[in-house]
Each structure stands twice: as C-alpha cells, then as structure tokens.
C-alpha cells in the first residue's frame, strides 16, 4: 500500500470536523509519519519543532494564510528513526531532496525577483502541493526555496502534524501572554518568544495544539519541504482564519501588574499588532506528483 494511503486511512479513522477523536488517535497518525526516539545528547537535532502551513487556494495562486509551531526540547538520536518514516520519495519529491543535498549558497544569497517599479528584491516564491482535503482534515506539502520567508502569523483552532522531508529552516515562535489589563488604546497584544532556532531534516514528526506556540515565522536556510496535516482544516466560516502580525511599539502597562501574573518577565515581552498579509508574500500552486489517496 502506498505510504500516503496509509496516512490517509489513519487520518480518516482518527480525525473529525472537530479535530482528533483522542490523544491516542493523534499519536497513531504521528507514529505512521515517523517517530524519533528521544534519548542521548545534543547535536543539531536537539531542538524539535512543529510547524504547519495551510493555504487558501485562489485560482492559479495560493496565498499562504497560516502556519503553526509548538516545540519539544529534547535530544534525539536520529539513528534510531525507523526505515518506515515518511520520506520525500514517498510523495514524489526524491529528485528535489537529492538536489537539496547538493545545494550550495550563491554569492548574492538570494534568488528572489525584483519589483518592476523599484529595486526591492522579493523573496523567492514558495510552492504548495495539495494532496487532499475533506471536512475533517487536509494534507499538503510546502516547498520552500532558500531565503524564502513565511511572515509572522498564527493558526488558531487546529491541531497540526508536521514532517520535515528535507532541508533546513529557521523558526521563530511566540506565545500570547494574557495580562489582566491592557492599555485602552492598544491595538497590539503582548507575546513572549518561546523558540528561535534552526531545524534540519531528518527530525521527529511534531504536533501543534491549538493554544500553544501558534504565532511564528519561517525562513528557509536551504531548499526544504514540509508534509503537513491539519485537523480540522482551514475554514473562515468556522472561525479558523489565520492572521498576520508585526512587532509594534512597547506599550505602557499599569503599575503593579507584574505581581498579578506568574512566570512572565515583563522585560521579555514584545507587542504584536495584526496586519494584512504582506504584498510580497505569494505562494504558487505546484503539481503534486506523488500517490493520490483515494476514498475507500
């Protein structure tokens, strides 16, 4: 049975329009994607990141609406990953993965395009490969060329499983900080940095939960690709709309507020305000060449 079909069957049994039916069902899907044993010490794989992107498809273009990340801090012995892990070859990306291994940075460090009316250099385009979507889950792959960027954004109300197929990626993630009071005129919310690292394949399949670490941004270090499962899938009608953010000016807080919250250093807070998706952030629809899961 094709690997993608195994994943599809597990998702069909484990997910509903409200998300996973249980933690055990979620782990069933995660195990099929591939689990690394957490043991030993360090190396570049010691930070395990979860990330996901879902795209809102429109015509020939796909505008990436969101991404998600929650991290587990662990040391991983990648030699213990099983031969049954999902690989680029299982989804028609073997040639891209081999090319990524041979990739070397160019002198100018960027392969993006320039705006016709200015000297501004846009990041190189990202491709989205659509695999499957139903009311309970969606499956897709994002292929990022080096230096491409997904700007700061959130992904509310979804559980996400993510598997890095090849390459390396810089990840920065924030959590919202709930304060008893906010300045009345503030258009921004406080957040704290929870992750700032580079993740490199091979690594563990990771899981994002709706309320953790889902404000994040990404920059490809090398050519890279992620296999993503979202449950439930993106839906503006059901309130699962992703927003983009930028860092705002520091806001004045009421005196004594630090005594009202625990485990938060106010000096580490940043303020984020919602913005429209950047004009230079465009994701192109690519052709998925791997096995297509068929409903049974």
């Amino acid at each position: 049975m094709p690997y993608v079909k195994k994943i599809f069957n597990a998702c069909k049994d484990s997910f509903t329009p409200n998300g996973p039916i249980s933690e055990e069902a979620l782990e069933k899907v995660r195990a099929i994607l591939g689990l690394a044993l957490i043991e030993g010490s360090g190396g570049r794989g010691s930070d395990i990141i979860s990330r996901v992107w879902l795209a809102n498809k429109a015509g020939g273009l796909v505008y990436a609406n969101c991404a998600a990340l929650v991290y587990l801090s662990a040391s991983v012995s990648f030699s213990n990953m099983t031969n049954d892990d999902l690989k680029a070859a299982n989804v028609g990306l073997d040639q891209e993965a081999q090319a990524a291994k041979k990739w070397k940075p160019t002198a100018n460090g960027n392969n993006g395009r320039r705006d016709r009316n200015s000297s501004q250099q846009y990041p190189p385009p990202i491709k989205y490969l659509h695999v499957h979507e139903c009311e309970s889950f969606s499956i897709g792959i994002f292929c990022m060329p080096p230096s491409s960027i997904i700007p700061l954004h959130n992904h509310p109300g979804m559980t996400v499983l993510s598997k890095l197929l090849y390459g390396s990626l810089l990840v920065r993630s924030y959590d919202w900080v709930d304060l008893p009071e906010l300045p009345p005129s503030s258009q921004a919310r406080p957040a704290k940095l929870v992750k700032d690292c580079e993740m490199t394949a091979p690594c563990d399949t990771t899981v994002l939960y709706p309320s953790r670490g889902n404000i994040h941004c990404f920059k490809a270090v090398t050519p890279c690709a992620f296999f993503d499962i979202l449950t439930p899938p993106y839906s503006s009608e059901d309130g699962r709309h992703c927003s983009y953010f930028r860092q705002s000016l520091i806001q004045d807080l009421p005196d004594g507020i630090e005594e009202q919250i625990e485990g938060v250093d106010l000096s580490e807070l940043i303020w984020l305000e919602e913005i429209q998706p950047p004009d230079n952030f465009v994701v192109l629809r690519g052709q998925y060449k791997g096995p297509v899961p068929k409903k049974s």
Side-chain angles (χ1 to χ4, degrees):
M1 179 185 298
Y3 209 107
V4 172
K5 180 63 174 177
K6 286 184 183 180
I7 295 170
F8 172 79
N9 288 343
C11 290
K12 187 173 62 172
D13 294 339
S14 302
F15 302 146
T16 73
N18 295 318
I21 60 176
S22 67
E23 185 67 27
E24 291 75 15
L26 184 64
E27 285 302 312
K28 173 185 175 182
V29 179
R30 187 182 183 204
I32 292 175
L33 290 175
L35 283 169
L37 300 180
I38 299 175
E39 60 175 273
S41 62
R44 295 182 67 186
S46 60
D47 290 314
I48 302 180
I49 314 301
S50 166
R51 125 8 286 129
V52 67
W53 295 306
L54 179 67
N56 182 20
K57 300 175 285 294
L61 297 178
V62 177
Y63 296 91
N65 264 345
C66 51
L69 175 148
V70 67
Y71 71 91
L72 304 173
S73 179
S75 296
V76 177
S77 173
F78 290 119
S79 62
N80 287 306
M81 297 182 77
T82 72
N83 290 329
D84 292 331
D85 286 349
L86 177 67
K87 299 177 177 63
N90 299 130
V91 291
L93 292 175
D94 189 44
Q95 290 185 357
E96 288 81 354
Q98 294 303 319
K101 292 180 181 179
K102 300 175 183 178
W103 178 85
K104 296 186 183 301
T106 58
N108 60 18
N110 196 317
N111 62 346
R113 62 182 177 88
R114 292 188 181 277
D115 190 294
R116 292 181 179 180
N117 301 319
S118 72
S119 60
Q120 179 181 1
Q121 178 113 15
Y122 283 176
I126 299 163
K127 287 185 178 180
Y128 174 73
L129 313 180
H130 180 69
V131 179
H132 174 80
E133 183 169 345
C134 61
E135 64 177 357
S136 298
F137 62 92
S138 65
I139 302 174
I141 303 168
F142 279 81
C143 300
M144 299 183 67
S147 299
S148 61
I149 295 171
I150 293 182
L152 196 63
H153 53 276
N154 70 352
H155 198 166
M158 303 177 192
T159 300
V160 176
L161 298 99
S162 182
K163 179 72 173 180
L164 180 60
L165 299 173
Y166 62 83
S168 298
L169 187 74
L170 296 174
V171 182
R172 181 171 290 179
S173 174
Y174 298 88
D175 273 349
W176 291 122
V177 175
D178 292 324
L179 299 180
E181 299 179 56
L182 290 176
S185 61
S186 177
Q187 300 295 317
R189 290 181 60 188
K192 63 179 180 180
L193 181 68
V194 295
K195 202 67 180 177
D196 187 2
C197 71
E198 179 177 332
M199 59 181 291
T200 299
C203 61
D204 190 23
T205 299
T206 50
V207 181
L208 162 80
Y209 296 92
S211 60
R212 287 190 249 159
N214 65 354
I215 316 162
H216 37 255
C217 55
F218 308 91
K219 181 176 181 179
V221 177
T222 71
C224 59
F226 287 97
F227 185 94
D228 300 320
I229 302 173
L230 288 78
T231 177
Y234 168 80
S235 173
S236 294
E237 293 79 6
D238 295 319
R240 295 190 297 272
H241 174 74
C242 296
S243 302
Y244 290 87
F245 301 91
R246 67 182 176 190
Q247 190 166 344
S248 180
L249 296 176
I250 296 175
Q251 307 288 312
D252 293 327
L253 294 173
D255 293 336
I257 196 170
E258 191 166 7
E259 300 174 359
Q260 302 178 44
I261 55 177
E262 297 181 0
V264 177
D265 184 348
L266 295 184
S267 66
E268 296 179 354
L269 294 184
I270 68 165
W271 292 80
L272 302 177
E273 61 179 352
E274 186 173 344
I275 60 172
Q276 293 298 314
D279 292 338
N280 62 354
F281 176 47
V282 177
V283 179
L284 303 179
R285 182 69 176 265
Q287 181 180 2
Y288 172 63
K289 299 179 181 178
V292 177
K294 296 181 180 180
K295 297 181 181 180
S296 56

